[in-house]
Amino acid sequence: NYRCRSAFKLLEIDDKYKLLKPGFNVIDCGAAPGAWSQIAVHRVNSTGANGEFPRGTVVGIDLLRIAPLDGAHFLSNHDITDPVTHAKLLELLPGAQAHVIMSDMAPNASGFKEMDHEKLITMSLSLIDLAAKVLQTGGSLICKYWDGALAHQLQQKLSAVFRDVRTVKPKASRKESSELFFLARSYRENKIV
Ligand code: SAM
């Protein structure tokens, strides 16, 4: 049982692109109520349920409170754009490194499409700073955005540091919504400390 229907979007993306592997360290940005983290816990084996595979780590962050989940560390009431949050993440991740950053973050919708779009793009740009601190070379990023005028800016910035950037629209995402995901793979930046 998943905590939220958004689970089906990640399942679809990960079934196709196989980003989450046993032993991986994953950061889940905008994790509440926790469905994406549930999937990550299972796929990276962070509870160690499967003794034959390496054990991964899942860290979820949200402005809201996230109810505890076996196999996940949650930073509730934390803002992903805040460098203080980044520092805490570095401490929680084994080797201070992540293999995957995923973001289903969304600002509270104001009802003004352009404004919401801009807000989400600005938040997503901060994921590139986070990547510079924690993402290991070869790592990947999944990032939700709402389509609009600034989407190409985010895409360009991602393309500067990832070898392969593409747009994904899962079937589970409502057709009439402007919701899309960037899937960025093969991170090529060396870690900036
Ligand atoms: N993927 C989640 C799941 O499967 O349960 C659902 C995520 S929900 C669509 C978006 C979340 O992003 C909200 O809970 C919201 O509080 C969070 N959020 C928005 N801005 C944020 C920020 N700056 N830092 C952390 N979380 C944020």
Side-chain angles (χ1 to χ4, degrees), residues 3 5 16-17 44 86 118 131 162 171 180 183:
R3 294 178 178 187
R5 289 195 52 80
K16 179 154 182 197
Y17 294 100
V44 308
H86 297 184
E118 283 176 26
F162 290 89
K171 289 195 193 75
L180 292 165
L183 172 58

Side-chain angles (χ1 to χ4, degrees), residues 135-139 158-164 185-191:
L135 194 60
Q136 75 167 42
T137 305
L158 289 171
S159 296
V161 288
F162 290 89
R163 254 183 249 290
D164 181 6
R185 290 180 296 174
S186 292
Y187 189 60
R188 56 182 171 196
E189 196 83 321
N190 286 322
K191 220 174 107 178

Side-chain angles (χ1 to χ4, degrees), residues 3-4 6-7 28-37 61-64 78-81 104-108 123 144:
R3 294 178 178 187
C4 180
S6 55
D28 182 7
C29 305
W36 280 31
S37 287
I61 302 105
D62 206 289
L63 295 172
L64 304 177
H78 279 71
D79 185 336
I80 195 63
T81 64
D104 191 27
M105 276 194 297
N108 284 329
M123 284 160 57
K144 195 239 293 281

Side-chain angles (χ1 to χ4, degrees), residues 24-28 37 40-41 44 46 56-60 71-74:
F24 273 17
N25 302 334
V26 178
I27 303 174
D28 182 7
S37 287
V41 162
V44 308
S46 63
T57 303
V58 176
V59 185
H73 302 272
F74 287 139

Side-chain angles (χ1 to χ4, degrees), residues 73 91 93 104 156-157 172:
H73 302 272
E91 277 175 27
L93 293 164
D104 191 27
Q156 274 177 349
K157 296 218 160 133

Side-chain angles (χ1 to χ4, degrees), residues 6 9 103-125 143-155 167-170 173-182:
S6 55
K9 299 176 212 166
S103 168
D104 191 27
M105 276 194 297
N108 284 329
S110 70
F112 297 96
K113 223 179 154 190
E114 270 308 294
M115 212 162 98
D116 292 337
H117 158 73
E118 283 176 26
K119 218 169 164 185
L120 182 50
I121 295 285
T122 306
M123 284 160 57
S124 304
L125 285 170
C143 171
K144 195 239 293 281
Y145 69 100
W146 291 320
D147 205 14
L150 301 180
H152 75 279
Q153 260 186 40
L154 177 58
Q155 181 160 24
T167 295
V168 179
K169 174 85 177 173
S173 171
R174 289 182 303 118
K175 262 212 195 82
E176 61 279 15
S177 112
S178 66
E179 175 183 81
L180 292 165
F181 293 83
F182 278 126

